[in-house]
Amino acid sequence: KGSAFTFVVPFAPAGKPAQALMAASAEVEPARFNAVRVLVVEDNPVNQLVVARMLTKEGCVAQVAADGRQALEALRNARYDLVLMDCQMPVMDGYEAARQIRAREQDGAHIPVIAMTANALRGDREVCLAAGMDDYLSKPVRAEELAQVLEQWLERARKA
């Protein structure tokens, strides 16, 4: 249905020589997760934007679904490498969506589903894991924690 491309173009300030542009491009850090497709399931528009931008900075291609039902539809229509799933959403919450994702998996296929929740109380992680999620990020999501989770679960998926 289409493609999404992400790139960084460093520009030298006006009046600077071409060497400044070349030096600036040498400083650009390569993205760690080039073309990794991540489905962000989140009902809050601000959180959608923040997490999608964090993912884009890491080189990922981020798609957004506003609830569990939209997530299931997105997973039917496209392949994703990982799902970031809010737990508390209208229409269908993240717990039910994770259970349905796991029920659909066959032939050893397994997509990592990472919970994103503001609930950070004792036992919340276990509730997420019991619903079929693989890991847990507490909100607000921090870029370094997100990168660690991506690295951990994408490496596991490559080995499987």
Side-chain angles (χ1 to χ4, degrees):
K1 294 193 174 193
S3 298
F5 300 93
T6 303
F7 57 92
V8 176
V9 180
F11 289 100
K16 295 283 183 173
Q19 289 83 5
L21 178 59
M22 290 173 24
S25 66
E27 294 172 12
V28 174
E29 190 175 308
R32 291 190 277 182
F33 305 104
N34 261 348
V36 168
R37 293 180 49 85
V38 179
L39 179 61
V40 178
V41 187
E42 168 68 60
D43 61 322
N44 182 296
V46 173
N47 290 345
Q48 290 172 353
L49 181 63
V50 169
V51 173
R53 282 198 178 156
M54 281 189 224
L55 290 166
T56 301
K57 283 185 177 184
E58 292 290 346
C60 298
V61 177
Q63 295 289 137
V64 176
D67 60 56
R69 188 171 295 146
Q70 287 181 15
L72 295 173
E73 185 65 26
L75 288 165
R76 255 192 296 277
N77 294 323
R79 185 194 62 78
Y80 294 92
D81 299 299
L82 187 131
V83 177
L84 293 172
M85 181 79 70
D86 184 20
C87 294
Q88 307 283 321
M89 297 178 289
V91 182
M92 180 186 292
D93 68 22
Y95 303 113
E96 181 58 28
R99 284 190 281 276
Q100 289 194 30
I101 289 168
R102 296 299 175 232
R104 292 179 180 182
E105 290 180 337
Q106 39 187 307
D107 302 325
H110 181 86
I111 184 169
V113 177
I114 311 303
M116 293 189 307
T117 182
N119 295 335
L121 301 174
R122 182 181 301 195
D124 288 332
R125 179 183 180 88
E126 289 72 23
V127 171
C128 293
L129 298 177
M133 298 181 198
D134 295 291
D135 209 341
Y136 173 97
L137 281 170
S138 60
K139 291 181 185 175
V141 175
R142 294 190 342 228
E144 46 294 333
E145 290 175 351
L146 178 60
Q148 288 174 349
V149 165
L150 287 170
E151 193 168 310
Q152 175 187 350
W153 288 100
L154 294 171
E155 181 62 27
R156 284 188 188 189
R158 278 187 213 112
K159 288 180 180 179

